[in-house]
């Protein structure tokens, strides 16, 4: 967020709360649209969000959330 100008747009894609607990053997953080920018110390406004069920090449489904945010002035 430090590299985004005030009024700039940010798109974040992350594992959803019901997404996998690990990816490539490593633990992951999972977020919903309400807290997708929780790790940022910069204020932002959530403009829109979407969910996706991603089917992996191995046939399992991973849930993702996408957030479109506006960095506050």
């Amino acid at each position: 967020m430090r590299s985004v100008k005030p009024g700039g747009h940010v798109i974040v894609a992350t594992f959803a709360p019901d997404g996998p607990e690990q990816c490539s053997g490593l633990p992951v953080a999972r977020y919903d649209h309400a807290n997708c920018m929780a790790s940022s110390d910069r204020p932002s406004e959530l403009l829109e969000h979407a969910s996706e069920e991603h089917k992996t090449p191995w046939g399992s489904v991973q849930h993702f959330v996408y957030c479109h945010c506006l960095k506050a002035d």
Side-chain angles (χ1 to χ4, degrees):
M1 288 297 283
R2 285 178 276 176
S3 63
V4 179
K5 293 180 181 180
H9 295 260
V10 177
I11 296 175
V12 176
T14 184
F15 287 116
D18 57 349
E21 294 180 3
Q22 291 187 351
C23 182
S24 299
L26 299 172
V28 300
R30 299 179 294 175
Y31 299 94
D32 62 16
H33 70 277
N35 65 10
C36 69
M37 296 299 292
S39 63
S40 172
D41 60 348
R42 311 285 189 212
S44 62
E45 175 187 353
L46 178 65
L47 299 177
E48 58 185 325
H49 63 89
S51 299
E52 177 189 9
E53 289 186 351
H54 169 71
K55 188 170 183 180
T56 69
W58 304 275
S60 64
V61 174
Q62 295 178 336
H63 294 111
F64 285 85
V65 81
Y66 297 88
C67 298
H68 174 200
C69 301
L70 182 68
K71 183 175 178 183
D73 293 330

